Amino acid sequence: MANTEASLKEALTTIDGAIGAALVDYTSGMALGTVGGGKDLDLTVAAAGNTDVVRAKVRTLELLGLKDEIEDILITLGGQYHMIRLLKGRGNNGLFLYLALDRTRANLAMARHQLSGIEAALEV
């Protein structure tokens, strides 16, 4: 089991095209840990903004009466992919991993697969 800092560093160093990663509590909108980012990607702002995305999707599933779980949410921009992966099990309700990728360098399928593995090993 890996801790938050190690897991986020692993995401940034092993996933091609990764430019920033965060562990976010979507009940509060606070980033519990961040790596990467920079002047063009404020991970604290991204954490708060993507919290709204997660809350809206969770609420929509409830309104539709769907008895299913969100695995991940993908937002595609002109130059970036933003991936949100909700954590499951081991008391991790209310948390998600956020990963920003450079679209020109990222392999979306591999990034999704690798982030899933990082999630499985994460101990919060």
Side-chain angles (χ1 to χ4, degrees):
M1 297 287 176
N3 69 17
T4 300
E5 183 179 353
S7 295
L8 295 176
K9 285 182 180 176
E10 180 183 354
L12 199 62
T13 59
T14 63
I15 299 175
D16 288 340
I19 55 176
L23 177 65
V24 182
D25 176 349
Y26 72 81
T27 58
S28 68
M30 293 184 60
L32 304 177
T34 63
V35 294
K39 65 178 178 69
D40 294 330
L41 179 63
D42 183 329
L43 290 170
T44 303
V45 172
N50 285 304
T51 292
D52 292 337
V53 172
V54 172
R55 288 177 184 162
K57 192 60 189 173
V58 168
R59 189 171 48 255
T60 301
L61 289 178
E62 290 170 357
L63 291 171
L64 292 172
L66 296 176
K67 305 293 186 229
D68 211 341
E69 295 180 336
I70 299 168
E71 284 185 25
D72 47 40
I73 298 168
L74 174 65
I75 300 167
T76 57
L77 305 176
Q80 296 177 354
Y81 294 123
H82 291 215
M83 186 179 300
I84 299 166
R85 178 138 189 115
L86 276 69
L87 273 63
K88 295 177 183 54
R90 301 184 315 272
N92 291 329
N93 289 340
L95 300 178
F96 67 87
L97 285 168
Y98 167 71
L99 180 67
L101 300 153
D102 178 331
R103 191 171 172 160
T104 63
R105 297 184 298 130
N107 177 322
L108 194 52
M110 283 302 297
R112 185 173 182 262
H113 174 73
Q114 289 173 287
L115 194 60
S116 173
I118 291 168
E119 175 209 354
L122 177 63
E123 181 66 38
V124 181

